Amino acid sequence: MYDVNTHDVRRFFADVWRQRLAPLQLDKLQQKALRIIEAHPEYHHYLDHIERYLDHNWTPEQGETNPFLHLSLHLAISEQRGIDQPRGIRQAMDVLEAKLGSAHDAAHVVQECLVEALWQSQRHGRPLDGNAYVNAVRQKAGLPPMPPDYSAGPG
């Protein structure tokens, strides 16, 4: 596992943004991050002034979205899709993307499902239920649910 703190994550995105003029020098993860950042011009200001926002707290109570959490979730979902983990997420996302006509819009829907799955996991003190998460995405895509424990893969 990596020992990454909030400042590291925020600096990662800011560094990628700063290097955008030389994208070929970025590694594959940074290139993915850059595509995500480019799709979110509303966050460019934060990245351009990262030192101001290293310790800033965005609160849902004030109707704010943490831009770095949002970008991180996009990156996580992109990685999940790439390796199909939890199993079935790639197919569900492919269908959802075709339904919505946009990979970016599909990723936002998947984010809602992932955040709910994470919240349920924390609320009940259990590991994330990959099957429930994938089935939530499948439902949004108009697909039938998968059988229990499908997303866990071969045991």
Side-chain angles (χ1 to χ4, degrees), residues 86 117-118 120-121 126-135 149 151:
L118 289 167
Q120 289 293 337
S121 170
R126 294 190 299 242
L128 186 130
D129 184 341
N131 200 65
Y133 166 47
V134 171
N135 278 332
D149 296 321
S151 67

Side-chain angles (χ1 to χ4, degrees), residues 19-74:
Q19 296 177 59
R20 70 188 175 276
L21 299 178
L24 297 178
Q25 295 178 11
L26 300 174
D27 65 30
K28 291 200 181 292
L29 182 65
Q30 291 170 321
Q31 289 174 15
K32 280 184 184 182
L34 180 58
R35 287 191 298 275
I36 293 165
I37 293 166
E38 289 172 337
H40 289 86
E42 68 276 22
Y43 298 153
H44 295 175
H45 170 77
Y46 302 117
L47 299 166
D48 287 333
H49 305 283
I50 191 62
E51 294 304 320
R52 277 189 225 160
Y53 297 102
L54 284 176
D55 293 312
H56 187 81
N57 288 316
W58 287 266
T59 61
E61 296 80 24
Q62 295 179 348
E64 299 175 316
T65 299
N66 180 327
F68 299 98
L69 176 58
H70 186 82
L71 296 171
S72 296
L73 288 170
H74 266 290

Side-chain angles (χ1 to χ4, degrees), residues 81-103:
R81 186 179 196 171
I83 63 171
D84 195 28
Q85 185 62 36
R87 193 165 55 151
I89 195 70
R90 181 184 299 139
Q91 179 203 24
M93 288 184 69
D94 289 349
V95 172
L96 186 59
E97 179 181 334
K99 179 180 177 181
L100 297 177
S102 163

